[in-house]
Amino acid sequence: MKVVIVGSGYVGLVSGACFSALGHSVVCVDSNAQKINLLNSGGVPIFEPGLDALIKTNIDESRLTFSTDLKSSLKGADFAFIAVGTPTRQGGSEADLTSVYAVASEIALSAEDGLVVVTKSTVPVGTGDAVEAIIRTSRPDLVFAAVSNPEFLKEGSAIDDFMNPDRVVVGCDVPWATEKMKMLYEPLRATGAPILYTGRNAAEVIKYAANAFLAIKISFINEIADFCEAVSADVSEVANGIGQDTRIGRAFLNPGPGYGGSCFPKDSLALLATAQSHSVSLRVVESSIAANDARKRGIGRRVITALGNQVRGKTIAILGLTFKANTDDMREAPSLNIIAALQKMGARVRAYDPEGMEQARHYLQNVDYAENAYDCVAGADGIVVATEWKEFQGLDFARLSSLVSHPVIVDLRNILDSRKVEAAGFELHRIGSPRRAETASIQVTPRLLKPKNTGRVEREHPAANGSVRPAPQPAAV
Ligand code: NAD
């Protein structure tokens, strides 16, 4: 079957590559000519584990092409997927559907009879009706259907999520289009993936309800972590204790600096806005948004407190910039709040991220970037682990300790082995652990008997020269 995907970002590119791997003939379209040129010359504009190899294989097997020309791409197409961005509308909280509607209008101009127009972008309930109306108004005689097929992939494990989904949701109210969607997803169904057929409105609601629920889980465990600190309990033990309950589940119970990324913040806000427009209160969703905003606003202060309150003129090393591990996506990353707070209090910031530094440069100013974690911490007065990259767990903490000026680590993802870190002489602050509660007010003083900082280091360490790419790992947030 011929599939056209409009929007070749995190969702569009992964979906396009995966549909082609399932045997379909796919054209990924984007209005960004630079992106399409890069793809046509063998490059991949985003970092997603396994994506470059999957794209290459399918280009080589002539199932995957890239184009800026939607009109010619739509010739003979069975499906036109809309996978463009739906950011928060500037100055508001609802989803900005400008790109979705622009693509629907453009599809209408060149669609052929029998086309199924599928919205994969996350869109408020009722958008399918609007997409259908746009096309119908432009082409009253066209035989087409507008379907909702929200995407649930997670950046960092997107290919596996697409190929082995917990479920695929197809929201369709037109029987012939449902049959066509069944054929499209047949290769996945044959491997055991559950495909749920729902009404179009239900599918649109499912996506927002799922994201809001996950965001609520994160806000919940973050608040429980604060409570644990106050009562000398370890939140990891609590998370394991409640997560073993199959009604609750362990996933998304990892406390941290607040959720970020391109989905949870904007989708929770958009859900709330849509509910309000229907005069419905979603108080739990509203509280989760407020809790996360407060957490992200407060996280910088928390870090500064752990670092002994005085950061003016100090160099703080930030390990991890992206909103979560295994992506280069910086959208709404908590590191942005932390760095802003540190800079406001007069700290110098040096940062290292395995994949995110190129993107980070668009979001941050006055930050020095290091080529590896060791260079990043050299001479630093404190280290903050802001993203759960697996390579940070494997660092040589004795070596780190010999490089820093002050041996303090604030682990905002609870990924470090406290015994190893403390054995290397570090004072470790974690989220939701009794130790942090006890030590939060300790003023950090330089160690007297510490070897002088040796400055930049040789690059022989496996993680230090960038030659080792971390294996994909489950995302925490
Ligand atoms: P993105 O910003 O990475 O990609 C969007 C792409 O659409 C860009 O390449 C842009 O150039 C292109 N585009 C915009 N307008 C266009 C137009 N008129 N014609 C052609 N191309 C156009 O966005 P994304 O992260 O892939 O998200 C896309 C949608 O999927 C959003 O609604 C998002 O909420 C949803 N979603 C994202 C994720 C995720 O993890 N990123 C997961 C599930 C769902």
Side-chain angles (χ1 to χ4, degrees):
M1 302 181 94
K2 179 172 177 185
V3 179
V4 175
I5 312 258
V6 191
S8 302
Y10 289 88
V11 164
L13 259 189
V14 170
S15 305
C18 289
F19 276 131
S20 64
L22 293 176
H24 300 300
S25 169
V26 177
V27 187
C28 285
V29 174
D30 204 286
S31 52
N32 182 334
Q34 218 181 341
K35 204 174 248 192
I36 295 301
N37 289 342
L38 178 68
L39 285 157
N40 277 328
S41 60
V44 178
I46 56 168
F47 171 74
E48 177 61 43
L51 184 60
D52 40 7
L54 194 68
I55 286 178
K56 185 175 181 330
T57 306
N58 286 287
I59 291 175
D60 291 350
E61 295 183 8
S62 308
R63 286 191 296 260
L64 180 60
T65 56
F66 305 98
S67 174
T68 51
D69 183 355
L70 179 56
K71 186 177 175 194
S72 67
S73 302
L74 281 173
K75 282 202 176 75
D78 296 288
F79 301 94
F81 277 78
I82 302 176
V84 294
T86 49
T88 302
R89 186 182 295 283
Q90 264 193 339
S93 58
E94 65 273 34
D96 182 344
L97 299 173
T98 310
S99 299
V100 171
Y101 294 154
V103 172
S105 304
E106 215 183 326
I107 289 172
L109 297 178
S110 330
E112 296 175 1
D113 279 346
L115 184 71
V116 180
V117 180
V118 190
T119 305
K120 214 171 224 328
S121 299
T122 302
V123 294
V125 61
T127 305
D129 298 345
V131 166
E132 187 172 323
I134 287 169
I135 301 173
R136 177 61 63 223
T137 305
S138 165
R139 298 278 303 280
D141 298 329
L142 183 72
V143 179
F144 78 102
V147 172
S148 166
N149 174 215
E151 184 50 59
F152 299 95
L153 60 76
K154 300 183 292 297
E155 290 175 22
S157 55
I159 292 169
D160 190 50
D161 290 342
F162 192 98
M163 293 305 215
N164 301 293
D166 290 340
R167 80 311 203 183
V168 172
V169 173
V170 175
C172 182
D173 304 315
V174 182
W176 68 262
T178 303
E179 288 312 307
K180 235 173 151 172
M181 291 299 287
K182 279 185 184 162
M183 284 158 70
L184 176 74
Y185 277 112
E186 178 53 25
L188 274 191
R189 195 208 55 79
T191 63
I195 319 278
L196 304 185
Y197 293 92
T198 69
R200 190 168 64 197
N201 282 5
E204 291 173 341
V205 174
I206 286 169
K207 174 62 192 175
Y208 279 105
N211 272 5
F213 190 83
L214 295 171
I216 288 164
K217 246 183 135 179
I218 295 167
S219 288
F220 174 78
I221 200 65
N222 282 340
E223 291 198 327
I224 293 294
D226 289 349
F227 179 54
C228 284
E229 286 173 15
V231 298
S232 285
D234 187 326
V235 71
S236 310
E237 293 173 359
V238 173
N240 289 338
I242 60 176
Q244 296 283 323
D245 186 327
T246 50
R247 293 169 302 176
I248 296 172
R250 179 64 180 81
F252 284 74
L253 288 180
N254 300 313
Y259 57 77
S262 66
C263 293
F264 291 174
K266 78 168 175 71
D267 292 348
S268 298
L269 277 176
L271 174 60
L272 201 58
T274 313
Q276 276 164 356
S277 74
H278 288 82
S279 305
V280 175
S281 316
L282 297 180
R283 292 193 188 85
V284 178
V285 176
E286 199 170 354
S287 299
S288 143
I289 294 169
N292 196 59
D293 284 350
R295 191 158 193 90
K296 285 175 88 175
R297 275 198 311 275
I299 199 69
R301 168 48 40 207
R302 195 182 176 101
V303 165
I304 289 165
T305 302
L307 293 174
N309 278 317
Q310 287 304 325
V311 294
R312 185 164 301 283
K314 303 270 175 69
T315 298
I316 308 303
I318 308 288
L319 296 183
L321 292 168
T322 49
F323 86 92
K324 68 175 181 181
N326 289 320
T327 181
D328 58 355
D329 199 339
M330 283 295 299
R331 290 177 282 188
E332 307 247 0
S335 66
L336 300 173
N337 302 74
I338 298 162
I339 290 171
L342 286 166
Q343 289 179 328
K344 194 170 169 208
M345 297 307 287
R348 280 191 302 269
V349 172
R350 196 185 302 137
Y352 165 69
D353 187 282
E355 296 291 342
M357 293 193 289
E358 200 181 315
Q359 286 295 322
R361 286 175 209 276
H362 301 297
Y363 291 80
L364 293 164
Q365 284 177 343
N366 301 321
V367 168
D368 295 324
Y369 294 94
E371 283 184 23
N372 58 62
Y374 297 96
D375 281 1
C376 185
V377 308
D381 298 288
I383 300 173
V384 179
V385 176
T387 311
E388 70 281 16
W389 285 97
K390 202 167 183 174
E391 77 169 62
F392 299 150
Q393 294 174 310
L395 290 170
D396 176 345
F397 290 97
R399 182 171 169 200
L400 285 188
S401 177
S402 74
L403 291 169
V404 295
S405 285
H406 295 108
V408 194
I409 298 183
V410 186
D411 178 4
L412 295 175
R413 301 289 187 164
N414 287 359
I415 57 164
L416 303 184
D417 180 335
S418 53
R419 274 168 308 182
K420 268 201 236 167
V421 172
E422 286 169 352
F426 279 103
E427 177 184 306
L428 177 64
H429 297 262
R430 292 162 58 84
I431 297 278
S433 87
R435 170 149 167 66
R436 185 194 172 278
E438 284 157 19
T439 59
S441 61
I442 288 176
Q443 296 288 313
V444 178
T445 47
R447 284 177 300 175
L448 296 176
L449 294 175
K450 176 180 173 303
K452 192 96 186 96
N453 159 37
T454 51
R456 289 177 78 84
V457 291
E458 64 284 357
R459 300 272 164 72
E460 85 284 9
H461 190 277
N465 60 11
S467 62
V468 176
R469 207 161 242 194
Q473 63 190 53
V477 177

